[in-house]
PDB file of all heavy atoms in Angstrom:
ATOM      1  N   PRO X 305      31.556  -8.518   6.137  1.00 87.00           N
ATOM      2  CA  PRO X 305      30.320  -7.717   6.092  1.00 87.00           C
ATOM      3  C   PRO X 305      29.496  -7.953   4.831  1.00 87.00           C
ATOM      4  O   PRO X 305      28.253  -7.965   4.884  1.00 87.00           O
ATOM      5  CB  PRO X 305      30.825  -6.277   6.160  1.00 87.00           C
ATOM      6  CG  PRO X 305      32.262  -6.331   5.751  1.00 87.00           C
ATOM      7  CD  PRO X 305      32.755  -7.668   6.177  1.00 87.00           C
ATOM      8  N   PHE X 306      30.154  -8.165   3.689  1.00 86.00           N
ATOM      9  CA  PHE X 306      29.404  -8.320   2.452  1.00 86.00           C
ATOM     10  C   PHE X 306      28.646  -9.643   2.398  1.00 86.00           C
ATOM     11  O   PHE X 306      27.665  -9.774   1.658  1.00 86.00           O
ATOM     12  CB  PHE X 306      30.335  -8.175   1.247  1.00 86.00           C
ATOM     13  CG  PHE X 306      30.793  -6.762   1.032  1.00 86.00           C
ATOM     14  CD1 PHE X 306      32.013  -6.336   1.528  1.00 86.00           C
ATOM     15  CD2 PHE X 306      29.989  -5.845   0.378  1.00 86.00           C
ATOM     16  CE1 PHE X 306      32.438  -5.027   1.349  1.00 86.00           C
ATOM     17  CE2 PHE X 306      30.405  -4.542   0.185  1.00 86.00           C
ATOM     18  CZ  PHE X 306      31.627  -4.121   0.680  1.00 86.00           C
ATOM     19  N   ALA X 307      29.100 -10.623   3.180  1.00 86.00           N
ATOM     20  CA  ALA X 307      28.340 -11.871   3.251  1.00 86.00           C
ATOM     21  C   ALA X 307      26.979 -11.621   3.889  1.00 86.00           C
ATOM     22  O   ALA X 307      25.946 -12.115   3.408  1.00 86.00           O
ATOM     23  CB  ALA X 307      29.121 -12.907   4.062  1.00 86.00           C
ATOM     24  N   TYR X 308      26.949 -10.810   4.944  1.00 87.00           N
ATOM     25  CA  TYR X 308      25.671 -10.473   5.580  1.00 87.00           C
ATOM     26  C   TYR X 308      24.832  -9.562   4.693  1.00 87.00           C
ATOM     27  O   TYR X 308      23.599  -9.639   4.688  1.00 87.00           O
ATOM     28  CB  TYR X 308      25.930  -9.814   6.938  1.00 87.00           C
ATOM     29  CG  TYR X 308      26.569 -10.754   7.936  1.00 87.00           C
ATOM     30  CD1 TYR X 308      27.946 -10.730   8.158  1.00 87.00           C
ATOM     31  CD2 TYR X 308      25.807 -11.689   8.623  1.00 87.00           C
ATOM     32  CE1 TYR X 308      28.541 -11.607   9.048  1.00 87.00           C
ATOM     33  CE2 TYR X 308      26.389 -12.563   9.526  1.00 87.00           C
ATOM     34  CZ  TYR X 308      27.764 -12.524   9.732  1.00 87.00           C
ATOM     35  OH  TYR X 308      28.343 -13.394  10.606  1.00 87.00           O
ATOM     36  N   LEU X 309      25.506  -8.705   3.924  1.00 87.00           N
ATOM     37  CA  LEU X 309      24.781  -7.826   3.011  1.00 87.00           C
ATOM     38  C   LEU X 309      24.022  -8.645   1.970  1.00 87.00           C
ATOM     39  O   LEU X 309      22.822  -8.407   1.726  1.00 87.00           O
ATOM     40  CB  LEU X 309      25.757  -6.861   2.331  1.00 87.00           C
ATOM     41  CG  LEU X 309      25.159  -5.747   1.450  1.00 87.00           C
ATOM     42  CD1 LEU X 309      26.054  -4.520   1.471  1.00 87.00           C
ATOM     43  CD2 LEU X 309      24.964  -6.199   0.005  1.00 87.00           C
ATOM     44  N   VAL X 310      24.715  -9.598   1.356  1.00 86.00           N
ATOM     45  CA  VAL X 310      24.074 -10.410   0.317  1.00 86.00           C
ATOM     46  C   VAL X 310      22.975 -11.279   0.912  1.00 86.00           C
ATOM     47  O   VAL X 310      21.890 -11.426   0.331  1.00 86.00           O
ATOM     48  CB  VAL X 310      25.121 -11.281  -0.403  1.00 86.00           C
ATOM     49  CG1 VAL X 310      24.444 -12.225  -1.395  1.00 86.00           C
ATOM     50  CG2 VAL X 310      26.121 -10.401  -1.137  1.00 86.00           C
ATOM     51  N   ARG X 311      23.225 -11.857   2.090  1.00 88.00           N
ATOM     52  CA  ARG X 311      22.195 -12.708   2.690  1.00 88.00           C
ATOM     53  C   ARG X 311      20.971 -11.904   3.074  1.00 88.00           C
ATOM     54  O   ARG X 311      19.830 -12.349   2.875  1.00 88.00           O
ATOM     55  CB  ARG X 311      22.760 -13.452   3.901  1.00 88.00           C
ATOM     56  CG  ARG X 311      21.826 -14.549   4.390  1.00 88.00           C
ATOM     57  CD  ARG X 311      22.507 -15.520   5.309  1.00 88.00           C
ATOM     58  NE  ARG X 311      22.790 -14.959   6.629  1.00 88.00           N
ATOM     59  CZ  ARG X 311      23.241 -15.670   7.655  1.00 88.00           C
ATOM     60  NH1 ARG X 311      23.466 -16.972   7.497  1.00 88.00           N
ATOM     61  NH2 ARG X 311      23.490 -15.100   8.812  1.00 88.00           N
ATOM     62  N   ALA X 312      21.165 -10.699   3.608  1.00 87.00           N
ATOM     63  CA  ALA X 312      20.026  -9.847   3.939  1.00 87.00           C
ATOM     64  C   ALA X 312      19.261  -9.445   2.685  1.00 87.00           C
ATOM     65  O   ALA X 312      18.020  -9.446   2.671  1.00 87.00           O
ATOM     66  CB  ALA X 312      20.506  -8.603   4.684  1.00 87.00           C
ATOM     67  N   ALA X 313      19.996  -9.098   1.611  1.00 86.00           N
ATOM     68  CA  ALA X 313      19.324  -8.720   0.365  1.00 86.00           C
ATOM     69  C   ALA X 313      18.523  -9.889  -0.205  1.00 86.00           C
ATOM     70  O   ALA X 313      17.415  -9.699  -0.737  1.00 86.00           O
ATOM     71  CB  ALA X 313      20.351  -8.237  -0.654  1.00 86.00           C
ATOM     72  N   ALA X 314      19.055 -11.114  -0.075  1.00 86.00           N
ATOM     73  CA  ALA X 314      18.328 -12.287  -0.554  1.00 86.00           C
ATOM     74  C   ALA X 314      17.048 -12.504   0.256  1.00 86.00           C
ATOM     75  O   ALA X 314      15.994 -12.837  -0.303  1.00 86.00           O
ATOM     76  CB  ALA X 314      19.225 -13.524  -0.469  1.00 86.00           C
ATOM     77  N   LEU X 315      17.126 -12.303   1.555  1.00 84.00           N
ATOM     78  CA  LEU X 315      15.932 -12.444   2.397  1.00 84.00           C
ATOM     79  C   LEU X 315      14.894 -11.372   2.069  1.00 84.00           C
ATOM     80  O   LEU X 315      13.688 -11.641   2.062  1.00 84.00           O
ATOM     81  CB  LEU X 315      16.328 -12.367   3.870  1.00 84.00           C
ATOM     82  CG  LEU X 315      17.066 -13.593   4.421  1.00 84.00           C
ATOM     83  CD1 LEU X 315      17.659 -13.286   5.786  1.00 84.00           C
ATOM     84  CD2 LEU X 315      16.117 -14.785   4.510  1.00 84.00           C
ATOM     85  N   LEU X 316      15.349 -10.161   1.791  1.00 82.00           N
ATOM     86  CA  LEU X 316      14.416  -9.100   1.409  1.00 82.00           C
ATOM     87  C   LEU X 316      13.771  -9.408   0.063  1.00 82.00           C
ATOM     88  O   LEU X 316      12.585  -9.108  -0.141  1.00 82.00           O
ATOM     89  CB  LEU X 316      15.143  -7.751   1.356  1.00 82.00           C
ATOM     90  CG  LEU X 316      15.618  -7.197   2.702  1.00 82.00           C
ATOM     91  CD1 LEU X 316      16.383  -5.900   2.508  1.00 82.00           C
ATOM     92  CD2 LEU X 316      14.431  -6.964   3.639  1.00 82.00           C
ATOM     93  N   ALA X 317      14.538 -10.004  -0.854  1.00 81.00           N
ATOM     94  CA  ALA X 317      13.955 -10.398  -2.139  1.00 81.00           C
ATOM     95  C   ALA X 317      12.881 -11.465  -1.954  1.00 81.00           C
ATOM     96  O   ALA X 317      11.933 -11.549  -2.743  1.00 81.00           O
ATOM     97  CB  ALA X 317      15.053 -10.910  -3.072  1.00 81.00           C
ATOM     98  N   GLU X 318      13.025 -12.259  -0.897  1.00 78.00           N
ATOM     99  CA  GLU X 318      12.014 -13.263  -0.560  1.00 78.00           C
ATOM    100  C   GLU X 318      10.933 -12.709   0.358  1.00 78.00           C
ATOM    101  O   GLU X 318      10.080 -13.453   0.841  1.00 78.00           O
ATOM    102  CB  GLU X 318      12.693 -14.456   0.131  1.00 78.00           C
ATOM    103  CG  GLU X 318      13.566 -15.291  -0.791  1.00 78.00           C
ATOM    104  CD  GLU X 318      12.757 -16.157  -1.723  1.00 78.00           C
ATOM    105  OE1 GLU X 318      11.809 -16.823  -1.279  1.00 78.00           O
ATOM    106  OE2 GLU X 318      13.066 -16.149  -2.928  1.00 78.00           O
ATOM    107  N   GLU X 319      10.979 -11.383   0.589  1.00 73.00           N
ATOM    108  CA  GLU X 319      10.000 -10.691   1.444  1.00 73.00           C
ATOM    109  C   GLU X 319       9.976 -11.273   2.854  1.00 73.00           C
ATOM    110  O   GLU X 319       8.917 -11.542   3.419  1.00 73.00           O
ATOM    111  CB  GLU X 319       8.611 -10.735   0.815  1.00 73.00           C
ATOM    112  CG  GLU X 319       8.544 -10.018  -0.531  1.00 73.00           C
ATOM    113  CD  GLU X 319       7.146  -9.957  -1.106  1.00 73.00           C
ATOM    114  OE1 GLU X 319       6.207 -10.433  -0.427  1.00 73.00           O
ATOM    115  OE2 GLU X 319       6.996  -9.447  -2.208  1.00 73.00           O
ATOM    116  N   ARG X 320      11.170 -11.463   3.415  1.00 78.00           N
ATOM    117  CA  ARG X 320      11.292 -11.922   4.794  1.00 78.00           C
ATOM    118  C   ARG X 320      12.094 -10.898   5.604  1.00 78.00           C
ATOM    119  O   ARG X 320      13.207 -11.178   6.060  1.00 78.00           O
ATOM    120  CB  ARG X 320      11.957 -13.294   4.850  1.00 78.00           C
ATOM    121  CG  ARG X 320      11.161 -14.407   4.210  1.00 78.00           C
ATOM    122  CD  ARG X 320       9.759 -14.536   4.823  1.00 78.00           C
ATOM    123  NE  ARG X 320       9.769 -14.648   6.262  1.00 78.00           N
ATOM    124  CZ  ARG X 320       9.834 -15.815   6.905  1.00 78.00           C
ATOM    125  NH1 ARG X 320       9.902 -16.939   6.227  1.00 78.00           N
ATOM    126  NH2 ARG X 320       9.807 -15.840   8.222  1.00 78.00           N
ATOM    127  N   PRO X 321      11.553  -9.706   5.790  1.00 78.00           N
ATOM    128  CA  PRO X 321      12.295  -8.695   6.547  1.00 78.00           C
ATOM    129  C   PRO X 321      12.523  -9.078   7.993  1.00 78.00           C
ATOM    130  O   PRO X 321      13.491  -8.626   8.619  1.00 78.00           O
ATOM    131  CB  PRO X 321      11.399  -7.450   6.438  1.00 78.00           C
ATOM    132  CG  PRO X 321      10.028  -7.984   6.184  1.00 78.00           C
ATOM    133  CD  PRO X 321      10.235  -9.207   5.350  1.00 78.00           C
ATOM    134  N   ASP X 322      11.642  -9.938   8.547  1.00 75.00           N
ATOM    135  CA  ASP X 322      11.825 -10.347   9.937  1.00 75.00           C
ATOM    136  C   ASP X 322      13.125 -11.140  10.117  1.00 75.00           C
ATOM    137  O   ASP X 322      13.798 -11.019  11.147  1.00 75.00           O
ATOM    138  CB  ASP X 322      10.619 -11.180  10.399  1.00 75.00           C
ATOM    139  CG  ASP X 322      10.310 -12.342   9.453  1.00 75.00           C
ATOM    140  OD1 ASP X 322      10.543 -12.190   8.242  1.00 75.00           O
ATOM    141  OD2 ASP X 322       9.833 -13.386   9.929  1.00 75.00           O
ATOM    142  N   LEU X 323      13.497 -11.934   9.097  1.00 80.00           N
ATOM    143  CA  LEU X 323      14.748 -12.693   9.172  1.00 80.00           C
ATOM    144  C   LEU X 323      15.950 -11.843   8.751  1.00 80.00           C
ATOM    145  O   LEU X 323      17.078 -12.105   9.186  1.00 80.00           O
ATOM    146  CB  LEU X 323      14.664 -13.936   8.289  1.00 80.00           C
ATOM    147  CG  LEU X 323      13.587 -14.964   8.667  1.00 80.00           C
ATOM    148  CD1 LEU X 323      13.617 -16.139   7.702  1.00 80.00           C
ATOM    149  CD2 LEU X 323      13.773 -15.454  10.099  1.00 80.00           C
ATOM    150  N   ALA X 324      15.705 -10.853   7.895  1.00 83.00           N
ATOM    151  CA  ALA X 324      16.809 -10.022   7.405  1.00 83.00           C
ATOM    152  C   ALA X 324      17.324  -9.054   8.469  1.00 83.00           C
ATOM    153  O   ALA X 324      18.465  -8.588   8.380  1.00 83.00           O
ATOM    154  CB  ALA X 324      16.379  -9.244   6.164  1.00 83.00           C
ATOM    155  N   GLU X 325      16.497  -8.733   9.468  1.00 84.00           N
ATOM    156  CA  GLU X 325      16.887  -7.728  10.466  1.00 84.00           C
ATOM    157  C   GLU X 325      18.187  -8.098  11.167  1.00 84.00           C
ATOM    158  O   GLU X 325      19.057  -7.244  11.380  1.00 84.00           O
ATOM    159  CB  GLU X 325      15.761  -7.563  11.491  1.00 84.00           C
ATOM    160  CG  GLU X 325      14.538  -6.832  10.956  1.00 84.00           C
ATOM    161  CD  GLU X 325      13.442  -6.745  11.990  1.00 84.00           C
ATOM    162  OE1 GLU X 325      13.690  -7.150  13.149  1.00 84.00           O
ATOM    163  OE2 GLU X 325      12.337  -6.275  11.658  1.00 84.00           O
ATOM    164  N   ALA X 326      18.335  -9.359  11.543  1.00 86.00           N
ATOM    165  CA  ALA X 326      19.538  -9.779  12.279  1.00 86.00           C
ATOM    166  C   ALA X 326      20.790  -9.606  11.416  1.00 86.00           C
ATOM    167  O   ALA X 326      21.830  -9.135  11.897  1.00 86.00           O
ATOM    168  CB  ALA X 326      19.396 -11.225  12.729  1.00 86.00           C
ATOM    169  N   ASP X 327      20.701  -9.963  10.130  1.00 86.00           N
ATOM    170  CA  ASP X 327      21.854  -9.813   9.250  1.00 86.00           C
ATOM    171  C   ASP X 327      22.201  -8.345   9.029  1.00 86.00           C
ATOM    172  O   ASP X 327      23.381  -7.985   8.947  1.00 86.00           O
ATOM    173  CB  ASP X 327      21.579 -10.479   7.904  1.00 86.00           C
ATOM    174  CG  ASP X 327      21.699 -11.997   7.981  1.00 86.00           C
ATOM    175  OD1 ASP X 327      22.305 -12.478   8.953  1.00 86.00           O
ATOM    176  OD2 ASP X 327      21.192 -12.677   7.085  1.00 86.00           O
ATOM    177  N   VAL X 328      21.180  -7.494   8.929  1.00 86.00           N
ATOM    178  CA  VAL X 328      21.441  -6.064   8.736  1.00 86.00           C
ATOM    179  C   VAL X 328      22.120  -5.476   9.973  1.00 86.00           C
ATOM    180  O   VAL X 328      23.059  -4.679   9.864  1.00 86.00           O
ATOM    181  CB  VAL X 328      20.131  -5.313   8.409  1.00 86.00           C
ATOM    182  CG1 VAL X 328      20.366  -3.806   8.394  1.00 86.00           C
ATOM    183  CG2 VAL X 328      19.586  -5.760   7.060  1.00 86.00           C
ATOM    184  N   ARG X 329      21.673  -5.883  11.144  1.00 88.00           N
ATOM    185  CA  ARG X 329      22.313  -5.409  12.379  1.00 88.00           C
ATOM    186  C   ARG X 329      23.776  -5.839  12.431  1.00 88.00           C
ATOM    187  O   ARG X 329      24.657  -5.059  12.801  1.00 88.00           O
ATOM    188  CB  ARG X 329      21.553  -5.928  13.605  1.00 88.00           C
ATOM    189  CG  ARG X 329      20.257  -5.212  13.891  1.00 88.00           C
ATOM    190  CD  ARG X 329      19.774  -5.495  15.309  1.00 88.00           C
ATOM    191  NE  ARG X 329      19.595  -6.920  15.548  1.00 88.00           N
ATOM    192  CZ  ARG X 329      18.462  -7.565  15.354  1.00 88.00           C
ATOM    193  NH1 ARG X 329      17.413  -6.912  14.883  1.00 88.00           N
ATOM    194  NH2 ARG X 329      18.361  -8.865  15.605  1.00 88.00           N
ATOM    195  N   ARG X 330      24.031  -7.095  12.078  1.00 88.00           N
ATOM    196  CA  ARG X 330      25.407  -7.586  12.082  1.00 88.00           C
ATOM    197  C   ARG X 330      26.254  -6.840  11.052  1.00 88.00           C
ATOM    198  O   ARG X 330      27.416  -6.494  11.314  1.00 88.00           O
ATOM    199  CB  ARG X 330      25.394  -9.086  11.772  1.00 88.00           C
ATOM    200  CG  ARG X 330      26.772  -9.735  11.709  1.00 88.00           C
ATOM    201  CD  ARG X 330      27.496  -9.676  13.041  1.00 88.00           C
ATOM    202  NE  ARG X 330      28.769 -10.385  12.987  1.00 88.00           N
ATOM    203  CZ  ARG X 330      29.757 -10.204  13.849  1.00 88.00           C
ATOM    204  NH1 ARG X 330      29.621  -9.328  14.846  1.00 88.00           N
ATOM    205  NH2 ARG X 330      30.872 -10.882  13.744  1.00 88.00           N
ATOM    206  N   LEU X 331      25.683  -6.576   9.897  1.00 87.00           N
ATOM    207  CA  LEU X 331      26.387  -5.834   8.852  1.00 87.00           C
ATOM    208  C   LEU X 331      26.785  -4.448   9.331  1.00 87.00           C
ATOM    209  O   LEU X 331      27.939  -4.015   9.155  1.00 87.00           O
ATOM    210  CB  LEU X 331      25.493  -5.734   7.608  1.00 87.00           C
ATOM    211  CG  LEU X 331      25.892  -4.726   6.527  1.00 87.00           C
ATOM    212  CD1 LEU X 331      27.242  -5.076   5.937  1.00 87.00           C
ATOM    213  CD2 LEU X 331      24.818  -4.676   5.438  1.00 87.00           C
ATOM    214  N   LEU X 332      25.866  -3.746   9.978  1.00 87.00           N
ATOM    215  CA  LEU X 332      26.171  -2.394  10.447  1.00 87.00           C
ATOM    216  C   LEU X 332      27.147  -2.406  11.626  1.00 87.00           C
ATOM    217  O   LEU X 332      27.870  -1.436  11.834  1.00 87.00           O
ATOM    218  CB  LEU X 332      24.879  -1.669  10.829  1.00 87.00           C
ATOM    219  CG  LEU X 332      23.967  -1.313   9.649  1.00 87.00           C
ATOM    220  CD1 LEU X 332      22.643  -0.731  10.137  1.00 87.00           C
ATOM    221  CD2 LEU X 332      24.652  -0.329   8.717  1.00 87.00           C
ATOM    222  N   THR X 333      27.163  -3.492  12.386  1.00 88.00           N
ATOM    223  CA  THR X 333      28.157  -3.619  13.458  1.00 88.00           C
ATOM    224  C   THR X 333      29.564  -3.777  12.876  1.00 88.00           C
ATOM    225  O   THR X 333      30.532  -3.172  13.359  1.00 88.00           O
ATOM    226  CB  THR X 333      27.825  -4.824  14.351  1.00 88.00           C
ATOM    227  OG1 THR X 333      26.528  -4.628  14.930  1.00 88.00           O
ATOM    228  CG2 THR X 333      28.842  -4.968  15.472  1.00 88.00           C
ATOM    229  N   LEU X 334      29.659  -4.578  11.817  1.00 87.00           N
ATOM    230  CA  LEU X 334      30.960  -4.826  11.200  1.00 87.00           C
ATOM    231  C   LEU X 334      31.426  -3.655  10.331  1.00 87.00           C
ATOM    232  O   LEU X 334      32.619  -3.371  10.265  1.00 87.00           O
ATOM    233  CB  LEU X 334      30.899  -6.092  10.344  1.00 87.00           C
ATOM    234  CG  LEU X 334      30.678  -7.407  11.091  1.00 87.00           C
ATOM    235  CD1 LEU X 334      30.429  -8.548  10.107  1.00 87.00           C
ATOM    236  CD2 LEU X 334      31.890  -7.728  11.972  1.00 87.00           C
ATOM    237  N   ALA X 335      30.475  -2.981   9.655  1.00 87.00           N
ATOM    238  CA  ALA X 335      30.847  -1.910   8.716  1.00 87.00           C
ATOM    239  C   ALA X 335      29.866  -0.745   8.844  1.00 87.00           C
ATOM    240  O   ALA X 335      29.007  -0.550   7.984  1.00 87.00           O
ATOM    241  CB  ALA X 335      30.864  -2.441   7.287  1.00 87.00           C
ATOM    242  N   PRO X 336      29.961   0.042   9.919  1.00 88.00           N
ATOM    243  CA  PRO X 336      29.005   1.144  10.114  1.00 88.00           C
ATOM    244  C   PRO X 336      29.135   2.255   9.075  1.00 88.00           C
ATOM    245  O   PRO X 336      28.211   3.056   8.930  1.00 88.00           O
ATOM    246  CB  PRO X 336      29.342   1.652  11.521  1.00 88.00           C
ATOM    247  CG  PRO X 336      30.762   1.225  11.750  1.00 88.00           C
ATOM    248  CD  PRO X 336      30.925  -0.069  11.026  1.00 88.00           C
ATOM    249  N   ASP X 337      30.246   2.311   8.362  1.00 89.00           N
ATOM    250  CA  ASP X 337      30.438   3.349   7.350  1.00 89.00           C
ATOM    251  C   ASP X 337      30.071   2.872   5.945  1.00 89.00           C
ATOM    252  O   ASP X 337      30.349   3.568   4.964  1.00 89.00           O
ATOM    253  CB  ASP X 337      31.901   3.816   7.344  1.00 89.00           C
ATOM    254  CG  ASP X 337      32.270   4.536   8.641  1.00 89.00           C
ATOM    255  OD1 ASP X 337      31.365   5.130   9.246  1.00 89.00           O
ATOM    256  OD2 ASP X 337      33.449   4.486   9.036  1.00 89.00           O
ATOM    257  N   LEU X 338      29.450   1.727   5.841  1.00 87.00           N
ATOM    258  CA  LEU X 338      29.035   1.206   4.543  1.00 87.00           C
ATOM    259  C   LEU X 338      27.613   1.701   4.256  1.00 87.00           C
ATOM    260  O   LEU X 338      26.665   1.307   4.946  1.00 87.00           O
ATOM    261  CB  LEU X 338      29.083  -0.324   4.545  1.00 87.00           C
ATOM    262  CG  LEU X 338      28.766  -1.022   3.228  1.00 87.00           C
ATOM    263  CD1 LEU X 338      29.808  -0.696   2.173  1.00 87.00           C
ATOM    264  CD2 LEU X 338      28.662  -2.531   3.433  1.00 87.00           C
ATOM    265  N   SER X 339      27.465   2.535   3.255  1.00 88.00           N
ATOM    266  CA  SER X 339      26.157   3.138   2.972  1.00 88.00           C
ATOM    267  C   SER X 339      25.130   2.078   2.589  1.00 88.00           C
ATOM    268  O   SER X 339      23.934   2.227   2.887  1.00 88.00           O
ATOM    269  CB  SER X 339      26.280   4.170   1.850  1.00 88.00           C
ATOM    270  OG  SER X 339      26.742   3.557   0.651  1.00 88.00           O
ATOM    271  N   ASP X 340      25.571   0.986   1.965  1.00 86.00           N
ATOM    272  CA  ASP X 340      24.632  -0.065   1.567  1.00 86.00           C
ATOM    273  C   ASP X 340      23.886  -0.639   2.763  1.00 86.00           C
ATOM    274  O   ASP X 340      22.714  -1.009   2.666  1.00 86.00           O
ATOM    275  CB  ASP X 340      25.376  -1.190   0.851  1.00 86.00           C
ATOM    276  CG  ASP X 340      25.951  -0.753  -0.486  1.00 86.00           C
ATOM    277  OD1 ASP X 340      25.878   0.457  -0.785  1.00 86.00           O
ATOM    278  OD2 ASP X 340      26.485  -1.597  -1.218  1.00 86.00           O
ATOM    279  N   GLY X 341      24.564  -0.735   3.897  1.00 87.00           N
ATOM    280  CA  GLY X 341      23.926  -1.280   5.092  1.00 87.00           C
ATOM    281  C   GLY X 341      22.764  -0.426   5.560  1.00 87.00           C
ATOM    282  O   GLY X 341      21.718  -0.940   5.962  1.00 87.00           O
ATOM    283  N   TRP X 342      22.922   0.891   5.485  1.00 89.00           N
ATOM    284  CA  TRP X 342      21.844   1.784   5.905  1.00 89.00           C
ATOM    285  C   TRP X 342      20.683   1.731   4.925  1.00 89.00           C
ATOM    286  O   TRP X 342      19.514   1.835   5.336  1.00 89.00           O
ATOM    287  CB  TRP X 342      22.377   3.209   6.049  1.00 89.00           C
ATOM    288  CG  TRP X 342      23.435   3.297   7.099  1.00 89.00           C
ATOM    289  CD1 TRP X 342      24.786   3.325   6.910  1.00 89.00           C
ATOM    290  CD2 TRP X 342      23.226   3.335   8.523  1.00 89.00           C
ATOM    291  NE1 TRP X 342      25.448   3.370   8.121  1.00 89.00           N
ATOM    292  CE2 TRP X 342      24.502   3.385   9.135  1.00 89.00           C
ATOM    293  CE3 TRP X 342      22.104   3.325   9.333  1.00 89.00           C
ATOM    294  CZ2 TRP X 342      24.685   3.423  10.500  1.00 89.00           C
ATOM    295  CZ3 TRP X 342      22.272   3.360  10.712  1.00 89.00           C
ATOM    296  CH2 TRP X 342      23.552   3.419  11.272  1.00 89.00           C
ATOM    297  N   ALA X 343      20.981   1.553   3.636  1.00 89.00           N
ATOM    298  CA  ALA X 343      19.909   1.396   2.661  1.00 89.00           C
ATOM    299  C   ALA X 343      19.121   0.118   2.923  1.00 89.00           C
ATOM    300  O   ALA X 343      17.882   0.106   2.860  1.00 89.00           O
ATOM    301  CB  ALA X 343      20.489   1.382   1.249  1.00 89.00           C
TER     302      ALA X 343
END
Side-chain angles (χ1 to χ4, degrees):
F306 288 96
Y308 294 98
L309 187 150
V310 175
R311 191 164 72 172
L315 287 168
L316 292 177
E318 290 285 313
E319 298 185 3
R320 295 303 307 270
D322 52 328
L323 298 180
E325 288 178 6
D327 283 342
V328 172
R329 284 196 302 269
R330 179 63 176 161
L331 166 62
L332 291 174
T333 300
L334 294 171
D337 294 331
L338 184 65
S339 61
D340 293 7
W342 298 100

